[in-house]
Amino acid sequence: MTKKPLTNRQAETLELIKGFIDHKGYAPSVSEVADLLKIKSRSTAHSLVKQLVDKGYLVKSDNEVRTLRVVGQKTSDSLQSQEDLREQNWRLLLENVELRKKLKQFEKY
């Protein structure tokens, strides 16, 4: 199945969504798509996402948040990003625990 060609704005939106998913490991919300595009209108962002779905570049579950999936994008890329996030969260949690211990020492004085 051949996909319909994209406008420049649609191509930019698709690339930003791909990058977001690769970096974060999950799909952006419509508000985040608007932020990525540096626009204030959520309805414009929603319209661009819908156009990409209609043209076959994105898949989205109805009435669900963060269910965008780029057609043909490797799941493993997103899974690796999720693993990286879990690891970073664990490091930050341990760092937070250590900082709280140090803070308690100062509270005694």
Side-chain angles (χ1 to χ4, degrees), residues 2-3 9-10 13-15 20 26 28 34 40 49-50 56 61 63 65 76 78 88 92:
T2 57
K3 296 178 184 170
R9 190 61 161 172
Q10 291 167 346
T13 303
L14 181 61
E15 287 306 311
F20 185 99
Y26 55 87
K40 292 182 181 182
V49 168
K50 184 177 179 333
S61 298
N63 301 323
V65 178
S76 60
S78 295
Q88 182 181 8
L92 290 171

Side-chain angles (χ1 to χ4, degrees), residues 39-50:
I39 59 176
K40 292 182 181 182
S41 172
R42 287 182 53 205
S43 63
T44 299
H46 178 75
S47 175
L48 284 163
V49 168
K50 184 177 179 333

Side-chain angles (χ1 to χ4, degrees), residues 68-97:
L68 282 178
R69 188 176 56 79
V70 178
V71 173
Q73 186 174 23
K74 294 179 189 174
T75 306
S76 60
D77 293 344
S78 295
L79 290 176
Q80 182 60 44
S81 294
Q82 288 175 1
E83 286 299 316
D84 292 343
L85 284 172
R86 280 191 208 101
E87 188 176 313
Q88 182 181 8
N89 284 341
W90 181 250
R91 279 194 310 269
L92 290 171
L93 177 67
L94 292 176
E95 186 178 311
N96 191 5
V97 168

